[in-house]
């Protein structure tokens, strides 16, 4: 049996970070988590994941900077951008902007488990489960 693909989840919200990790674990993926962009970049450098899911609106290094840095460090690494603030005054970035920055997919929170797991399977390949 092949080793499950490792997915890195970067989100400053601990509840959502754990929920996303649980969804992906249940789908058969290995999951690493990071609470901010800098920690996520460090993890991606140390052990390149098959895919990254990153929040856009985070303190410190935000998701736009994470996407740009991952594109530089790990060309071809698929990234899924997520945000509860797409098109808001707090973060005027749109899902289309996130894709223009290099994200493969962009989802506005809340999104369905099926949407996320389906996108991960499409971009990173099916889990080994």
């Amino acid at each position: 049996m092949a080793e499950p693909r490792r997915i890195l989840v970067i989100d400053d919200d601990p509840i959502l970070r754990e929920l996303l990790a649980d969804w992906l674990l249940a789908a058969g993926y290995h999951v690493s988590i990071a609470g901010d962009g800098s920690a996520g970049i460090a993890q991606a450098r140390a052990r390149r994941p098959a895919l990254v899911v990153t929040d856009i609106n985070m303190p410190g290094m935000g998701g736009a900077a994470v996407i740009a840095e991952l594109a530089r460090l790990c060309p071809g690494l698929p990234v899924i951008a997520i945000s509860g603030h797409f098109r808001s005054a707090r973060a005027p970035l749109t899902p289309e902007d996130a894709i223009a920055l290099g994200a493969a997919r962009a989802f506005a929170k809340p999104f369905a488990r099926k949407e996320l797991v389906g996108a991960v399977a499409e971009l990173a390949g099916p889990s080994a489960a």
Side-chain angles (χ1 to χ4, degrees):
M1 177 184 264
E3 179 179 325
R5 289 169 171 75
R6 194 171 62 83
I7 310 302
L8 172 59
V9 175
I10 307 169
D11 199 307
D12 61 310
D13 179 335
I15 294 171
L16 184 59
R17 189 171 59 237
E18 291 298 327
L19 176 65
L20 297 178
D22 287 349
W23 286 358
L24 294 167
L25 285 167
Y29 294 96
H30 280 198
V31 180
S32 298
I33 58 172
D36 61 56
S38 296
I41 293 296
Q43 283 194 41
R45 269 191 190 136
R47 186 167 173 226
R48 183 179 168 141
L51 180 138
V52 173
V53 177
T54 186
D55 188 15
I56 291 295
N57 192 33
M58 296 182 286
M61 180 183 230
V66 167
I67 293 167
E69 185 66 5
L70 288 173
R72 187 181 74 75
L73 291 171
C74 308
L77 175 65
V79 176
I80 297 175
I82 59 174
S83 181
H85 299 286
F86 280 136
R87 294 187 177 97
S88 74
R90 186 169 172 197
L93 199 69
T94 66
E96 296 78 17
D97 293 334
I99 289 173
L101 289 169
R105 299 282 187 285
F107 294 117
K109 297 174 189 174
F111 48 84
R113 174 183 185 160
K114 183 178 180 179
E115 286 180 287
L116 179 70
V117 173
V120 168
E122 180 183 329
L123 296 167
S127 69

